[in-house]
Amino acid sequence: MPFPSSPRARSGPRRRTLFAVGPAALVLAGCTAGGEDRGDPEDGPSAAERRARARAARDSEGLVERYDAVIAAHPGLAERLRPLREAAVGHAQAFGASPGRKASASSSSSAAASPSAAAVPGGDKDALAALAAAERELADRRAKALLDAPGELARLLASVAAAGAAHVYLLTEGGA
């Protein structure tokens, strides 16, 4: 016995139409969405954006100093922490820190001069937990800051915050 057709008329587009037109609409929307009117591109970043970048660069440099301090206090962790430290150096540079500044200094010289070297916990596990807490706190701050940041800076903050969250995992669970 065949099923009778539905007495109500269909309203709106059919599913096939949406599947056919949807991707094209997304492409068009992607080309125009999120385009902030920032005036003349020659003007460069605003003063607020420059301050936010400088603050983010300093935060990354501070994180590098913490890595340096832990590496100096726990040389057995150096191999495990070196890739995470180098990522933090790259983040500082992405935010505008000069490659020649303290973030790229060698581990031993920077850690010896750093006041945070005295604050490193004694055990390896505690030192890793302290680094993870610093990474988590900074990632959370960056995630909040990106809400008020202009387009490109917001994307950079989001990317670096996600990297910080990955570092937290590697420091606590992942056995980097």
Side-chain angles (χ1 to χ4, degrees), residues 40-171:
D40 187 4
E42 303 282 325
D43 292 344
S46 69
E49 183 177 350
R50 285 191 303 273
R51 284 191 304 272
R53 281 182 175 274
R55 182 174 40 252
R58 283 190 310 272
D59 288 344
S60 290
E61 288 173 334
L63 193 57
V64 170
E65 289 178 2
R66 293 192 73 147
Y67 275 103
D68 289 343
V70 171
I71 290 170
H74 302 277
L77 294 175
E79 188 175 328
R80 178 178 179 181
L81 297 179
R82 191 165 288 115
L84 302 178
R85 179 201 179 274
E86 292 307 314
V89 169
H91 298 160
Q93 291 171 353
F95 286 118
S98 301
R101 288 174 56 175
K102 61 186 168 188
S104 63
S106 71
S107 298
S108 58
S109 64
S110 179
S114 173
S116 63
V120 175
D124 286 0
K125 196 171 196 174
D126 292 336
L128 292 174
L131 272 176
E135 285 271 15
R136 182 178 297 113
E137 188 271 331
L138 186 53
D140 289 347
R141 266 194 292 143
R142 286 179 170 157
K144 289 177 186 170
L146 73 87
L147 297 174
D148 297 323
E152 188 59 35
L153 179 57
R155 287 184 281 279
L156 180 58
L157 285 167
S159 176
V160 174
H167 290 183
V168 170
Y169 173 79
L170 291 171
L171 289 166

